Amino acid sequence: MKIKINDKNIEAREGETILSAARREKIYIPTLCYMEKLLPIGSCRLCVVEVEGFDNPVAACKTPVTAEMKVSTDTPKLRDMRKEILGFMLMTHPLECDDCELKGVCTLELLAKEYGVTAPPAAISGNRPRTAEFSTPAIIYKPYRCVACGRCVSACQEVVGRGVLALRGEGINAAMEVVNEDRCISCGECLSVCPVAALADAGMEEIYKLDRS
Ligand code: SF4
Ligand code: SF4
Ligand code: FES
């Protein structure tokens, strides 16, 4: 079917999402919670796009294309929305990148830089309640970095079939929670998908600390 993204004519596939069509055409839409190997989560809302005829922007990673759809991916309204979202994320994940193993490749760090966001919105104060630290012999969970994207939850359920993790709360109160610790097999799948180094390999963490000492 024919659609338009940023005035470019595109041949989209039945059933695919706006994000999928855009990526095939090398049209950039920022994402954080989305991963190709997982079902779309739709939690971060950074992939918002405007669709002609729709009252509000929609998440490109979850919205299927329809014939003759006209999509805009980079408008002042979308940029403002993304800045606001990134600002909220920095409430729980301050940019303390110099002390992070993901420095230079972290999705949040790169998007914050791209959108010129360096701190939470000035009008907002206080911190989100934190979940207790979770660690197995293989994994350390760092709640002070978690942006509640849900990737680890989906990976544990969809890829490993263990259902150890869950998201609780909403908005800025959302956080990751361990709900079935006894089912964890320390496979490391969850830490491999975390975009912000909130889950770390316990073994590598020791090596990292030694390297820095
Ligand atoms: S280590 Fe594996 S089983 Fe344990 S929480 Fe992570 S993905 Fe689930
Ligand atoms: S621990 Fe990482 S992957 Fe899991 S919800 Fe938090 S930020 Fe997302
Ligand atoms: S990438 Fe679409 S909602 Fe997060």
Side-chain angles (χ1 to χ4, degrees):
M1 72 181 72
K2 294 190 187 325
I3 67 167
K4 272 190 178 185
I5 303 183
N6 300 343
D7 288 329
K8 182 179 180 186
N9 289 316
I10 285 168
E11 196 59 43
R13 296 173 187 157
E14 190 80 39
E16 74 175 335
T17 62
I18 296 171
L19 181 65
S20 158
R23 284 192 168 180
R24 198 173 48 255
E25 294 294 324
K26 310 252 181 304
I27 296 171
Y28 171 66
I29 298 174
T31 58
L32 187 139
C33 68
Y34 178 79
M35 277 195 102
E36 222 167 281
K37 70 175 176 180
L38 302 174
L39 293 172
I41 301 167
S43 62
C44 77
R45 308 293 292 178
L46 284 165
C47 67
V48 279
V49 294
E50 293 196 77
V51 179
E52 198 175 284
F54 285 29
D55 289 341
N56 296 307
V58 295
C61 70
K62 288 203 91 165
T63 307
V65 292
T66 54
E68 308 302 329
M69 189 179 234
K70 292 189 179 117
V71 180
S72 300
T73 66
D74 192 22
T75 64
K77 180 178 183 173
L78 295 174
R79 292 189 72 80
D80 284 348
M81 285 180 74
R82 290 173 187 146
K83 279 182 189 173
E84 194 178 346
I85 293 165
L86 289 164
F88 279 117
M89 284 184 180
L90 296 191
M91 286 181 73
T92 52
H93 187 119
L95 293 176
E96 295 158 350
C97 307
D98 285 342
D99 195 31
C100 178
E101 58 277 24
L102 274 192
K103 180 176 168 56
V105 292
C106 164
T107 310
L108 180 58
E109 178 197 4
L110 297 176
L111 283 173
K113 206 172 278 179
E114 179 186 339
Y115 282 84
V117 180
T118 55
I124 301 200
S125 61
N127 290 320
R128 183 173 66 180
R130 308 291 185 174
T131 51
E133 187 167 311
F134 162 55
S135 65
T136 70
I139 291 159
I140 299 170
Y141 171 49
K142 302 178 179 182
Y144 54 88
R145 286 184 181 165
C146 178
V147 294
C149 69
R151 275 190 183 186
C152 57
V153 176
S154 295
C156 184
Q157 182 59 46
E158 292 170 26
V159 181
V160 197
R162 302 304 291 179
V164 175
L165 312 173
L167 281 187
R168 66 166 172 78
E170 289 184 356
I172 59 167
N173 290 317
M176 193 273 271
E177 186 175 38
V178 180
V179 288
N180 284 309
E181 185 168 352
D182 56 332
R183 286 182 53 77
C184 178
I185 54 171
S186 298
C187 65
E189 184 65 29
C190 53
L191 68 88
S192 77
V193 300
C194 181
V196 292
L199 287 163
D201 181 314
M204 289 307 292
E205 189 81 349
E206 283 310 307
I207 294 168
Y208 176 71
K209 274 185 202 153
L210 285 174
D211 278 354
R212 296 237 158 182
S213 62

